[in-house]
């Protein structure tokens, strides 16, 4: 996004938040997909590879979610705070239209 537009709309920090939130959602999808694939394969070699990828995805999830919690962008342990943040982000997005 253009830095001038970011400054005018107040979305400079939100851009990083949106990117990391999208990354977290993608990682969660990967974790689910690897877990499903593990239950569908009968090959020990394929299963070993999928387990390694699943472990890597779980580790990535931990890193990204911890980063987001440190920044105040993700409140995994406080649903009311997360809802409040989601509403704030939705209102910001609506204001950009």
């Amino acid at each position: 996004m253009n830095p001038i537009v970011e400054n005018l709309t107040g979305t400079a920090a939100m851009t990083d938040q949106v990117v990391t939130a999208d990354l977290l959602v993608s990682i969660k999808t990967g974790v689910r997909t690897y877990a499903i694939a593990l239950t569908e394969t009968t090959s020990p070699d394929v299963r070993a590879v999928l387990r390694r990828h699943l472990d890597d995805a779980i580790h990535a999830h931990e890193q990204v979610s911890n980063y987001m919690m440190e920044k105040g962008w993700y409140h995994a342990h406080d649903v009311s705070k997360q809802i409040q943040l989601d509403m704030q982000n939705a209102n910001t997005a609506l204001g950009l239209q």
Side-chain angles (χ1 to χ4, degrees):
M1 187 179 279
N2 182 316
I4 296 171
V5 173
E6 288 177 355
N7 287 334
L8 290 173
T9 61
T11 59
M14 190 175 173
T15 303
D16 290 340
Q17 180 181 357
V18 169
V19 170
T20 52
D22 191 47
L23 177 60
L24 188 64
V25 169
S26 296
I27 292 169
K28 287 180 179 187
T29 300
V31 167
R32 283 192 283 287
T33 303
Y34 286 128
I36 291 168
L38 268 166
T39 66
E40 298 296 327
T41 188
T42 57
S43 165
D45 292 336
V46 172
R47 188 168 284 156
V49 169
L50 290 171
R51 273 196 191 112
R52 281 195 309 271
H53 287 295
L54 177 60
D55 288 342
D56 290 345
I58 291 169
H59 181 70
H61 176 273
E62 180 181 11
Q63 289 180 309
V64 172
S65 60
N66 285 341
Y67 175 79
M68 290 182 70
M69 286 187 279
E70 288 170 11
K71 293 286 191 175
W73 299 338
Y74 185 46
H75 303 285
H77 305 291
D78 190 337
V79 176
S80 61
K81 276 188 179 179
Q82 187 60 46
I83 290 170
Q84 186 179 29
L85 180 63
D86 290 345
M87 292 298 294
Q88 188 177 15
N89 291 340
N91 287 332
T92 299
L94 289 171
L96 295 175
Q97 295 178 351

